[in-house]
Amino acid sequence: MDTYSIRHEIGIKTPPGAVYQALTDTKKLAGWWTSDTRGEGSRVGGVLEFWFGEYCKKFAVVELQQDTLVRWKALKNDAPDEWDETEIAFSLRAGEKQCYVHFSHSGWRRDDGMLPHCSTKWAVFLLSLKDLLEKGVGHPAPNDVQVNHD
Amino acid sequence: MDTYSIRHEIGIKTPPGAVYQALTDTKKLAGWWTSDTRGEGSRVGGVLEFWFGEYCKKFAVVELQQDTLVRWKALKNDAPDEWDETEIAFSLRAGEKQCYVHFSHSGWRRDDGMLPHCSTKWAVFLLSLKDLLEKGVGHPAPNDVQVNHD
């Protein structure tokens, strides 16, 4: 079956180690995606929960390569969700002036549902990660940049 | 051949007619993507040029449906470019609280080159379009939000 991916890339003026920490340390994760982040992101097999009010996105950490790669797999919730069994990967590459972060959210079974909205929101959150690491303050939910009026 | 797409969606608190104008009127286009926008976007067959310093992205307008759809096809430049012959579409849908703008940039022949960077930048520019229409001021290049350090 064809699947679809969201891809993004940003460059952050910080060493890969700092980016890796912001993707694996629960407190740092809470600084850029959602303030209510729970669980354990620093070991393979750990489960991370990202809460948005009453709604939770839950992942298993499936691969970690120190300062290079972080991979999560979305776990099923009680209700079916387009994210079920999709995968998120952050790939880090040190450049001359910055650490490049290549992001992918792959395994979407359709591209005409939530994918376009989530693509825009991932850009917003990756820029929040960039701000956290470059300016010391991110914009995690519920203080994230809104892309629509719901 | 498999091709790849970038997709985004935003919701703008304005009537579809205002969004349509911002996607077809050269002066309005200059208010959110790049300040140096030239050409004719309000008729099929018109050519639009988006200049970023010495670099130009050139499109033919291939389809217009008043207040509903705007489609452009990227024209070849002198130098080969990953954007050559890709297509951009803006699809507008009136909602209760807002006009939803579904964006796609399709026909990419690879997803491991410029696509991830451009995906992030398109989110930035669509939020600039949203700001232009909701707050009266966008952030077109060269005053756009930077996603890396080049």
Side-chain angles (χ1 to χ4, degrees):
Chain A
M1 189 180 74
D2 275 354
T3 60
Y4 305 92
S5 298
I6 293 166
R7 293 187 186 280
H8 287 293
E9 188 182 87
I10 54 169
I12 307 180
K13 205 182 268 296
T14 197
V19 182
Y20 185 81
Q21 193 189 14
L23 299 172
T24 50
D25 177 303
T26 308
K27 276 191 188 154
K28 292 277 185 182
L29 284 163
W32 66 268
W33 189 13
T34 176
S35 305
D36 188 357
T37 298
R38 311 174 196 174
E40 171 57 80
S42 61
R43 62 173 179 82
V44 172
V47 170
L48 280 166
E49 295 183 4
F50 300 92
W51 287 85
F52 302 83
E54 309 251 302
Y55 189 72
C56 177
K57 296 289 191 191
K58 196 184 290 189
F59 296 89
V61 178
V62 291
E63 187 174 1
L64 292 174
Q65 292 181 25
Q66 180 79 35
D67 300 353
T68 304
L69 181 68
V70 171
R71 252 184 352 110
W72 303 332
K73 181 158 191 172
L75 299 174
K76 286 193 180 186
N77 288 301
D78 296 339
D81 186 299
E82 289 187 42
W83 287 40
D84 288 348
E85 299 186 72
T86 58
E87 283 203 14
I88 287 175
F90 301 88
S91 176
L92 316 184
R93 180 171 61 79
E96 206 172 306
K97 297 182 190 170
Q98 59 206 301
C99 174
Y100 288 101
V101 180
H102 183 286
F103 168 89
S104 67
H105 185 176
S106 58
W108 290 78
R109 289 164 291 271
R110 49 188 290 207
D111 66 353
D112 58 352
M114 291 300 294
L115 184 149
H117 168 78
C118 293
S119 176
T120 313
K121 285 300 295 201
W122 275 125
V124 163
F125 288 119
L126 290 166
L127 291 170
S128 169
L129 169 65
K130 181 171 163 69
D131 278 349
L132 175 67
L133 291 169
E134 293 183 347
K135 300 176 184 171
V137 186
H139 320 280
N143 298 312
D144 50 325
V145 172
Q146 298 305 303
V147 305
N148 57 24
H149 304 270
D150 277 343
Chain B
M1 189 179 76
D2 275 355
T3 59
Y4 305 92
S5 298
I6 293 166
R7 294 187 185 278
H8 287 292
E9 188 182 87
I10 55 170
I12 307 181
K13 207 182 266 298
T14 197
V19 182
Y20 186 80
Q21 193 189 15
L23 300 173
T24 51
D25 178 302
T26 308
K27 276 190 189 155
K28 293 278 186 184
L29 284 163
W32 65 270
W33 190 12
T34 176
S35 306
D36 188 357
T37 298
R38 310 174 196 174
E40 172 57 81
S42 61
R43 62 172 179 83
V44 171
V47 171
L48 280 167
E49 295 183 3
F50 300 93
W51 287 85
F52 302 83
E54 308 252 302
Y55 189 72
C56 177
K57 296 288 191 190
K58 196 184 289 189
F59 296 89
V61 178
V62 291
E63 188 174 0
L64 292 175
Q65 293 180 26
Q66 182 78 36
D67 300 353
T68 303
L69 181 67
V70 172
R71 248 178 4 103
W72 303 332
K73 182 159 191 172
L75 299 173
K76 286 192 181 188
N77 288 301
D78 296 339
D81 185 298
E82 289 186 42
W83 287 39
D84 288 349
E85 299 186 71
T86 59
E87 282 204 13
I88 287 175
F90 302 88
S91 176
L92 315 184
R93 180 172 60 80
E96 206 171 307
K97 297 183 190 170
Q98 60 207 300
C99 174
Y100 288 100
V101 181
H102 182 286
F103 168 90
S104 67
H105 185 175
S106 59
W108 290 78
R109 288 163 293 271
R110 50 187 290 204
D111 66 353
D112 58 353
M114 290 301 293
L115 185 149
H117 167 78
C118 293
S119 177
T120 313
K121 285 300 295 201
W122 275 124
V124 162
F125 288 118
L126 290 165
L127 291 169
S128 169
L129 169 65
K130 182 171 162 70
D131 278 350
L132 174 68
L133 292 168
E134 293 183 348
K135 301 176 183 171
V137 186
H139 319 280
N143 299 312
D144 49 324
V145 172
Q146 298 304 302
V147 304
N148 57 23
H149 304 270
D150 278 341

